[in-house]
């Protein structure tokens, strides 16, 4: 079965950086587009970023464009999200998903996701 295990979240100061990882198993990782979503305390799921199977295209929500970078290593079955210039409003549980979603409007198409990794941005 599909397994997705996120890691890398922690407490970071505003303006800081992190790299999140998601190790995938149970499916042919390199054949699927992948997505990061997040859920802030008390709020719903928010689409963050997606990447095509072969890393040809990457897409970002306006709220993270220019600050976050999605990437993948198909040889390692691993998806990454680099977070830079972090803000308190980036505080959330971050999930990777075996989905290919290009906007918040497509969130009904969200498929399997992991248990998440918590990012807290605070001074």
């Amino acid at each position: 079965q599909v397994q997705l295990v996120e890691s890398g979240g922690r407490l970071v100061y505003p303006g800081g950086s992190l790299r999140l990882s998601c190790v995938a198993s149970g499916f042919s990782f390199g054949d699927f587009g992948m997505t990061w979503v997040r859920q802030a305390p008390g709020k719903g799921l928010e689409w963050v970023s997606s990447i095509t199977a072969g890393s040809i295209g990457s897409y970002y929500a306006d709220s993270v464009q220019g600050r976050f970078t999605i990437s993948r290593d198909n040889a390692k079955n691993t998806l990454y999200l680099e977070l830079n210039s972090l803000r308190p409003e980036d505080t959330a549980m971050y999930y990777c998903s075996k989905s290919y979603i290009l906007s918040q409007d497509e969130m009904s198409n969200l498929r399997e996701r992991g248990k998440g990794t918590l990012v807290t941005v605070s001074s």
Side-chain angles (χ1 to χ4, degrees):
Q1 68 278 22
V2 173
Q3 288 194 332
L4 300 163
V5 181
E6 301 94 337
S7 64
R10 60 175 175 86
L11 173 64
V12 62
Y13 289 125
S17 298
L18 282 176
R19 189 174 81 157
L20 307 182
S21 300
C22 169
V23 178
S25 62
F27 65 103
S28 184
F29 178 75
D31 289 341
F32 290 88
M34 296 290 292
T35 290
W36 285 97
V37 298
R38 67 184 181 184
Q39 187 166 24
K43 297 189 177 181
L45 286 170
E46 178 189 12
W47 173 69
V48 174
S49 180
S50 295
I51 189 167
T52 57
S55 301
I56 298 299
S58 56
Y59 308 90
Y60 300 90
D62 289 345
S63 59
V64 306
Q65 178 76 48
R67 299 188 298 122
F68 292 7
T69 303
I70 191 171
S71 62
R72 63 192 297 163
D73 185 336
N74 288 346
K76 295 182 178 179
N77 285 358
T78 303
L79 178 72
Y80 301 102
L81 186 68
E82 184 173 344
L83 293 67
N84 296 307
S85 302
L86 282 161
R87 305 167 180 169
E89 55 264 38
D90 295 317
T91 294
M93 188 73 80
Y94 284 73
Y95 303 91
C96 69
S97 175
K98 179 181 171 283
S99 307
Y100 187 57
I101 294 172
L102 298 183
S103 74
Q104 185 68 24
D105 292 342
E106 297 180 8
M107 283 291 284
S108 60
N109 296 327
L110 191 69
R111 299 180 64 185
E112 299 93 334
R113 57 185 166 109
K115 294 183 178 180
T117 186
L118 181 62
V119 173
T120 304
V121 185
S122 176
S123 56

